[in-house]
Amino acid sequence: MSLVFTGCQTASDPGGAPVAALTTTSLPEPMTIAPPAPLAAPLPIPQPAPNLVQPPAIAPFTPANASPVGRPWPAGWVNAWVPLESWGKFNGLPKPVLLSGGKEPLYQLQSGNGLVLVKIGSPSVNMAGMQFGLGFAPRLIKGLPYVHSLDAQKTLQALADAFFRLPATNRTVVIDAGHGGRDGGTLGTTGHEQEKHYTLDWARRLAPLLAVRGWRVVLTRTNDIEISLADRVAVADRVKADLFLSLHFNSGIPNRDLMGLETYCLTPTGMPSNIIREYDDDVREAHPNNAFDEQNIQLASRLHGSLLRATGAVDRGVRRARFMTVLRGQNRPAVLIEGGYLSNVGEARRIAMPEYRQALAEGVARALE
Ligand SMILES: [Zn+2]
């Protein structure tokens, strides 16, 4: 199995330039969607208190709270190859079981959150039935399976601990419909449907579903206007968002066979990205959103699983990217979802159906209950 990493064509920062200093004068006015009137028994919907400073709902990851279950990450497991068995033992798991041999042996670990399948030489790991991109392909050392310490800590451990908690009250989410205005995003297979219209429709379907779940929902755009990537980040800062979600559709051009869902979060420092584009993917970079590495992948996993269940789409994995300007400057957990490939005839046809976009909206909403 090999993964091909592609993406919609315009979500990147073409110059690879650092995020410019933000000004508040030119920002678009975000639109807050009020919770709709309930149909039957009215539910109390928490309203944000605008002048009240809320404590951060999700504690940022720091080495001091690296292990929410009280185990410090082993000092020797830094920039090193870790035996899969040792990582399992660290989590109280039984020894890895060899499922299949050959050139790229496949190992299985039984964890409390489901099976972990590690394939030697593979760019991804399968956890609880979902694909997660790795920074380093697992390798055999003296005949035993090893994973890189960054993958072990930032992906395997983050998902094994799964301590991400959504804020219960006074919670604000920014929904970012990708592209807009002159930036149409990628095109559907007939050459007419533009990504920007589908992302906006998805966002508009999603907003009321989140509002009834008690979220204050802020959209970066509610119509066909162009907004810079930096301004999309600034909106989230200004409304003190707890979460940021950017919605996109994908292009695999020239490969029209690619189809399925991909969910992205920022690459941890030290780790190569799963997708680079034209960006100079320097592993030494540390961005503001790297303070949320663990929450990012936990949120991404939660969204990805819910979206797969809601749509039945092909799983193309939770992946890491460093070039996405809308993610890396975020001071909160942030995820970018590619809701399918507009370059694939069958998937473009499904994306064109309102029912599919409603399923995408419900998939996101259910993950944020
Ligand atoms: Zn896009």
Side-chain angles (χ1 to χ4, degrees), residues 8 11 179 195 248-249:
C8 64
H179 311 280
E195 180 186 355
H248 288 258
F249 291 93

Side-chain angles (χ1 to χ4, degrees), residues 18-334:
V19 180
L22 301 175
T23 60
T24 52
T25 50
S26 61
L27 296 183
E29 280 301 318
M31 169 72 83
T32 300
I33 305 293
L39 296 175
L43 291 170
I45 295 168
Q47 297 297 321
N51 298 320
L52 195 66
V53 176
Q54 297 295 330
I58 303 162
F61 175 85
T62 64
N65 67 358
S67 175
V69 287
R71 296 154 305 164
W73 189 249
W77 291 1
V78 175
N79 199 23
W81 287 90
V82 175
L84 185 59
E85 182 177 345
S86 301
W87 179 77
K89 200 177 281 178
F90 179 67
N91 286 278
L93 308 180
K95 276 188 173 188
V97 175
L98 178 65
L99 287 187
S100 62
K103 272 188 179 169
E104 295 182 337
L106 177 66
Y107 292 87
Q108 170 187 301
L109 270 175
Q110 177 77 55
S111 89
N113 293 337
L115 290 180
V116 181
L117 296 172
V118 174
K119 193 176 179 67
I120 302 303
S122 171
S124 66
V125 63
N126 187 301
M127 294 184 75
M130 284 193 294
Q131 299 289 332
F132 294 86
L134 295 172
F136 306 86
R139 54 171 67 170
L140 284 180
I141 299 177
K142 293 181 180 171
L144 293 173
Y146 279 64
V147 288
H148 193 277
S149 54
L150 271 171
D151 289 319
Q153 185 174 18
K154 297 292 188 173
T155 300
L156 273 63
Q157 194 63 44
L159 294 168
D161 286 338
F163 65 108
F164 182 80
R165 296 283 181 272
L166 292 167
T169 56
N170 288 319
R171 51 190 194 172
T172 299
V173 59
V174 168
I175 302 299
D176 174 45
H179 311 280
R182 286 174 300 171
D183 171 14
T186 193
L187 282 176
T189 48
T190 65
H192 296 299
E193 315 94 329
Q194 289 182 291
E195 180 186 355
K196 66 174 182 178
H197 297 308
Y198 290 142
T199 61
L200 180 59
D201 181 78
W202 182 2
R204 295 188 75 104
R205 289 172 186 275
L206 175 57
L209 299 179
L210 291 173
V212 295
R213 287 165 170 85
W215 288 92
R216 174 190 174 214
V217 183
V218 178
L219 302 183
T220 54
R221 67 182 180 96
T222 54
N223 52 27
D224 187 17
I225 57 165
E226 197 165 337
I227 308 173
S228 76
L229 299 174
D231 281 353
R232 295 170 197 252
V233 179
V235 166
D237 283 336
R238 196 169 52 178
V239 302
K240 297 184 170 62
D242 296 299
L243 302 178
F244 178 92
L245 299 185
S246 190
L247 308 180
H248 288 258
F249 291 93
N250 223 331
S251 169
I253 297 292
N255 184 349
R256 292 195 177 274
D257 293 331
L258 294 181
M259 57 189 294
L261 284 171
E262 296 170 12
T263 302
Y264 284 92
C265 51
L266 179 64
T267 315
T269 302
M271 186 187 283
S273 293
N274 298 133
I275 173 171
I276 293 172
R277 298 274 176 77
E278 63 275 24
Y279 187 69
D280 177 15
D281 192 60
D282 187 339
V283 300
R284 295 168 298 184
E285 285 176 23
H287 294 284
N289 189 244
N290 281 125
F292 301 90
D293 282 345
E294 275 69 15
Q295 292 97 325
N296 286 339
I297 191 130
Q298 290 165 0
L299 175 63
S301 167
R302 195 172 165 135
L303 285 162
H304 195 68
S306 182
L307 281 159
L308 290 175
R309 285 189 292 277
T311 61
V314 170
D315 174 15
R316 286 194 35 93
V318 174
R319 299 164 178 229
R320 316 274 200 171
R322 198 170 266 118
F323 70 83
M324 293 172 173
T325 305
V326 287
L327 296 187
R328 64 188 183 204
Q330 295 284 351
N331 292 299
R332 60 199 54 79

